[in-house]
Amino acid sequence: IYAVKPRIAGRSVINTVRALSDRERDILSLLIEGLSDREIADRRSLSHRTVSNHVGRILAKLDAPSRTAAVAIALREGLV
C-alpha cells in the first residue's frame, strides 16, 4: 500500500490539470473506471503501447507510484 502524497510534486492542482493533455485526462478517467491498458486501447482505438506511454506520463505528472495512486489523487483532487 502506498501513501498518497498531500501535494502533487510541489505543484498546485490547477497546474497539474493544465499539464495533463486532453488525451491523458481521458485515459485517467478510464483508469478510474478500472480499465486495463488493453481495454482502454480497444475502447479508444489506440495501440496498447500508446496507452502504456500515456499512463506512464500520467504517473510522472501526478508523481504517483502506481495506477491506483494516480486514481486516488485524481479522485481526491477532482482532476477529472
Side-chain angles (χ1 to χ4, degrees), residues 4-51:
V4 177
K5 298 175 184 176
R7 295 187 54 97
I8 301 171
R11 293 176 285 176
S12 73
V13 174
I14 291 170
N15 288 339
T16 300
V17 171
R18 288 182 183 149
L20 293 174
S21 70
D22 291 340
R23 176 66 78 182
E24 289 165 346
R25 281 194 299 275
D26 178 47
I27 288 177
L28 182 56
S29 70
L30 297 172
L31 290 176
I32 290 170
E33 290 182 31
L35 275 63
S36 69
D37 287 359
R38 290 207 185 276
E39 291 168 326
I40 294 170
D42 289 343
R43 191 175 285 191
R44 291 296 181 254
S45 299
L46 299 170
S47 75
H48 170 260
R49 183 73 176 147
T50 297
V51 173

Side-chain angles (χ1 to χ4, degrees), residues 8 11 16 20 28 57-64 70 73 79:
I8 301 171
R11 293 176 285 176
T16 300
L20 293 174
L28 182 56
R57 283 193 296 275
I58 291 166
L59 296 180
K61 288 179 180 182
L62 297 182
D63 194 27
I73 291 167
L79 298 181

